[in-house]
Structures are given as structure tokens and as C-alpha cells.
């Protein structure tokens, strides 16, 4: 049984790359199965059935155990990447929506794929690098060589016609196009790489830049930056489902959850989250509980601000399963007759 593995974040590069893997599989295997596997259970289910001899394993959100298995097996695989802001733009166009769910999806993929970025068995194909190289025939040759397949010339030509190679009036192939030209021909919602989110709503662009750019894979200079989760990406505990958009949190009332969310993702590992807020009106020794949740409670800290001004709490957190979104909750432990909080935010840095 032969399985070709390909992984990639949502975007133009993975859309073209997965199409290229299908084109190769058609030429080499003829009949093959598609394993859309994000978990060990998905893969185990296919192996137990074994209905076909050959398969493509494709995933954008592999769980940690699946990533560990692929790297332990040391089988060659492909990793398709691009600028995270371009990825959000692609999702916005292809889904016809502009919502924070798009940033959450890209954050989940980046978090899940991070272990692959430096794996020896990976062939990393980054959009901004690939578009400056040769035509798609050169890219397909790299894929062929990485898997050690040995496509014939006819197989190569046939595969290329499925991923952007045009044919003349006499049914003869024209010169192979470059990646962007080929992608524009076969991918719905295509747009040239801009990297600036010019087509996005300003608030969505801000979230993409602050939440995603520091997670960009294969860019150590970016990953040293702080991952910032702006206040408006969190939800109001007093009005569940409503974002905290430019508001002050009135503490008057009983004990309750004040803030929760924002359900973004982070790669596995040790992190420090720095939570900042302003006390605009003294809350007289009120105690706040800050909790960080994933599938389980990851960390908690109790804070008792004294007076008014800016306050912060730094909490160490270990992320184990990047597929699970992260929720930060700020709870008021007791009732209050006055007091206000504002300028809430959360900044994440990788622990030393």
C-alpha cells in the first residue's frame, strides 16, 4: 500500500498543491482513495477498511498525535504554505464572508502544522517562493523527485493539464505557466498574493496581522514576535455572543463572567500570556479569577487590583493539542456596587 501525504494551510498554495497531488496520483495509481485525515482515528479507520491499494492523505488541521506519527514514520510529505493574511483573504473570497471565524481557521491550521515546518522529510512549498521560480512543470518535477516516483514525460504532461497547463487548438500543450497563472485558471476565489489584506474589512485585517503573522511558519523572525489578541475579539460576559467593541466593562452587579473568548489557536509548547486591563474606577479589593481553557483548564490566576490604573497578570500556559481552541475567561468572584474595567487585551509570547 502506498500513501502520498500532503499538508497545507488554507489558501491558494494548498489548493493548487492538493490538486497537483491528485494529478500525480491519477497518473501513477489510476485508482486511489482520498484520506481526509485530521486525527489518528481517521487514519486508523481507512487502514482497517483497506478498500484500495493506494491513497492520498491530505490534511490542513492534523492533531498532534497524527503529526507525531507522520514524522516518526519519516515518510516524504509536502507542506504548502503562504502568507497568513493572504490565506484569510482567500477564505473571505471563497466563502463570501468576512468574519473572525476565518482568522480562527487559519490560526488552527498554523498551530497544527508547525511541527512539520522543520521536519527533514518535508518538502516545503511556499507560495511567495514558488511564484518566483520556474513554471509549474518545475514545481511538479520537485514533487516527483521528493516522492521518488519517476513520472514519464507523458505522465508529466497529462498531470500538468489538470493543474493549469493550457492546450492549443491542435490539442498540443502550450508552454507551462508559472504558479500564479496556473492557480488563477483552476482555483475559484483566486487573487494575486498581496500580503496586506487590502481587500479585507479593516478590523479583520488587524486581527489577521496581530493574531496570525507571528505564527507564520518557517519565518523565525516573525515567530519571535508577540501574538496579540485585541480586546474586540473577545466576547462580553454580560451579553453573550456580542464582541467587546470599544466598551468599558461595568462591574456593578453580582459575581459573574465578565469576558470570554476569543477561541484562537496556538502551537503546542510553553507560552506566557500577558493579560492587561485598566481599572477606571476603584473596585475596592474585588478579586478576579482569570482562567485559560482548552479541552481542559490549562491555567488559572487570581488578581486583586489596588486602586485605579493599568494592571497586568502574566500566566504560564502549556498548549498540548493545537486543534483545540483557547478560551480566556475573566470572572468576578464577588458582587460589586461600583467599578469599571477597560482596555482588556491578551498578548502571548513563547516561554524561554
Amino acid at each position: 500500500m502506498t500513501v502520498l501525504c500532503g499538508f497545507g494551510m488554507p489558501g491558494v498554495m494548498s489548493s493548487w498543491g492538493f490538486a497537483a497531488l491528485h494529478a500525480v496520483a491519477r497518473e501513477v495509481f489510476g485508482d486511489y482513495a482520498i484520506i481526509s485525515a485530521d486525527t489518528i482515528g481517521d487514519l486508523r479507520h481507512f487502514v482497517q477498511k483497506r478498500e484500495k491499494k493506494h491513497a492520498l492523505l491530505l490534511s490542513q488541521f492534523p492533531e498532534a498525535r497524527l503529526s507525531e506519527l507522520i514524522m516518526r514514520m519519516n515518510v516524504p510529505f509536502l507542506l504548502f504554505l503562504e502568507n497568513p493574511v493572504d490565506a484569510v483573504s482567500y477564505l473571505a473570497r471563497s466563502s463570501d464572508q468576512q468574519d473572525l471565524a476565518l482568522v480562527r481557521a487559519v490560526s488552527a491550521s498554523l498551530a497544527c502544522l508547525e511541527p512539520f515546518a522543520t521536519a527533514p522529510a518535508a518538502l516545503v512549498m511556499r507560495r511567495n517562493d514558488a511564484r518566483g521560480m520556474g513554471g509549474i512543470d518545475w514545481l511538479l518535477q520537485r514533487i516527483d523527485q521528493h516522492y521518488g516516483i519517476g513520472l514519464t514525460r507523458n505522465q508529466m504532461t497529462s498531470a500538468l493539464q489538470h493543474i493549469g497547463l493550457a492546450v492549443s487548438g491542435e490539442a498540443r500543450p502550450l508552454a507551462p505557466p508559472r504558479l500564479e497563472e496556473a492557480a488563477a485558471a483552476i482555483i475559484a476565489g483566486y487573487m494575486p498574493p498581496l500580503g496586506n489584506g487590502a481587500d479585507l474589512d479593516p478590523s479583520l485585517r488587524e486581527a489577521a496581522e496581530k493574531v496570525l503573522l507571528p505564527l507564520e511558519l518557517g519565518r523565525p523572525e516573525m515567530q519571535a514576535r508577540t501574538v496579540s489578541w485585541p480586546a474586540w475579539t473577545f466576547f462580553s460576559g454580560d451579553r453573550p455572543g456580542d464582541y467587546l467593541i470599544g466598551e468599558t466593562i461595568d462591574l456593578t452587579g453580582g459575581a459573574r463572567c465578565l469576558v470570554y473568548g476569543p477561541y484562537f489557536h496556538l502551537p503546542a509548547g510553553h507560552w506566557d500570556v500577558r493579560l492587561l486591563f485598566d481599572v477606571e474606577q476603584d473596585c475596592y479589593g474585588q478579586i478576579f479569577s482569570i482562567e485559560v481553557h482548552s479541552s481542559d483548564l490549562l491555567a488559572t490566576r487570581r488578581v486583586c487590583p489596588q486602586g485605579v490604573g493599568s494592571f497586568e497578570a502574566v500566566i504560564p500556559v502549556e498548549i498540548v493539542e493545537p486543534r483545540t481552541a483557547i478560551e480566556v475567561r475573566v470572572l468576578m468572584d464577588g458582587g460589586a456596587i461600583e467599578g469599571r474595567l477597560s482596555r482588556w487585551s491578551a498578548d502571548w509570547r513563547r516561554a524561554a
Side-chain angles (χ1 to χ4, degrees), residues 9-284:
M9 57 190 289
V12 169
M13 190 70 236
S14 67
S15 296
W16 183 88
F18 288 172
L21 284 178
H22 278 288
V24 169
R26 277 191 293 266
E27 297 303 319
V28 178
F29 303 144
D31 187 29
Y32 63 95
I34 302 170
I35 313 174
S36 297
D38 291 331
T39 69
I40 286 284
D42 295 336
L43 182 58
R44 183 183 298 115
H45 177 71
F46 172 81
V47 172
Q48 289 172 345
K49 290 173 61 178
R50 295 182 68 92
E51 295 178 346
K52 297 184 179 180
K53 293 182 179 179
H54 308 291
L56 285 183
L57 189 159
L58 305 175
S59 177
Q60 295 180 329
F61 308 97
E63 70 172 357
R65 292 192 304 160
L66 179 60
S67 302
E68 292 166 2
L69 174 64
I70 296 296
M71 291 189 291
R72 190 165 60 247
M73 293 172 61
N74 200 34
V75 295
F77 64 89
L78 300 183
L79 178 61
F80 300 104
L81 303 175
E82 64 184 277
N83 182 288
V85 179
D86 283 337
V88 174
S89 294
Y90 166 77
L91 290 178
R93 292 190 302 277
S94 58
S95 65
D96 195 26
Q97 62 173 313
Q98 298 213 15
D99 186 87
L100 275 179
L102 308 181
V103 177
R104 294 187 183 105
V106 176
S107 75
S109 187
L110 289 171
C112 291
L113 296 174
E114 186 180 76
F116 289 146
T118 56
L123 172 59
V124 180
M125 304 192 82
R126 190 184 303 278
R127 185 182 181 189
N128 281 355
D129 295 339
R131 68 192 182 104
M133 302 296 182
I136 58 172
D137 56 330
W138 180 81
L139 297 177
L140 196 60
Q141 287 169 8
R142 290 194 67 197
I143 293 173
D144 179 36
Q145 292 167 2
H146 187 65
Y147 286 122
I149 294 172
L151 291 170
T152 67
R153 184 170 181 176
N154 287 339
Q155 287 176 324
M156 182 75 70
T157 301
S158 178
L160 288 170
Q161 291 182 37
H162 290 284
I163 54 176
L165 177 64
V167 176
S168 69
E170 290 106 14
R172 288 183 298 194
L174 301 174
R178 291 183 179 272
L179 172 65
E180 294 303 321
E181 182 183 349
I186 68 171
I187 298 174
Y190 169 84
M191 184 175 180
L194 300 174
N196 59 10
D199 58 322
L200 298 176
D201 177 87
S203 59
L204 185 60
R205 181 175 67 244
E206 177 194 356
E209 291 172 347
K210 291 185 174 182
V211 175
L212 301 177
L213 283 181
L215 301 178
E216 188 170 2
L217 302 181
R219 298 280 302 277
E221 73 279 11
M222 299 300 291
Q223 294 186 357
R225 292 171 51 182
T226 298
V227 178
S228 295
W229 293 356
W232 64 268
T233 64
F234 288 83
F235 294 96
S236 167
D238 290 328
R239 298 189 310 279
D242 289 348
Y243 288 109
L244 286 174
I245 301 178
E247 73 171 276
T248 296
I249 303 171
D250 186 355
L251 302 181
T252 304
R256 63 195 188 277
C257 176
L258 301 173
V259 177
Y260 68 99
Y263 307 109
F264 296 130
H265 299 250
L266 290 170
H270 295 279
W271 293 79
D272 290 326
V273 57
R274 180 170 173 253
L275 305 163
L276 303 104
F277 58 93
D278 286 352
V279 177
E280 294 187 356
Q281 185 180 39
D282 197 349
C283 43
Y284 297 106

Side-chain angles (χ1 to χ4, degrees), residues 252-328:
T252 304
R256 63 195 188 277
C257 176
L258 301 173
V259 177
Y260 68 99
Y263 307 109
F264 296 130
H265 299 250
L266 290 170
H270 295 279
W271 293 79
D272 290 326
V273 57
R274 180 170 173 253
L275 305 163
L276 303 104
F277 58 93
D278 286 352
V279 177
E280 294 187 356
Q281 185 180 39
D282 197 349
C283 43
Y284 297 106
Q286 179 62 251
I287 297 175
F288 300 93
S289 292
I290 301 172
E291 300 176 352
V292 182
H293 292 260
S294 183
S295 53
D296 300 304
L297 176 64
L298 301 181
T300 185
R301 176 70 56 83
R302 302 185 81 196
V303 180
C304 183
Q306 301 296 320
V308 298
S310 297
F311 295 86
E312 68 174 68
V314 178
I315 306 174
V317 179
E318 181 181 6
I319 307 297
V320 177
E321 177 47 72
R323 287 184 79 236
T324 306
I326 299 169
E327 178 189 27
V328 178

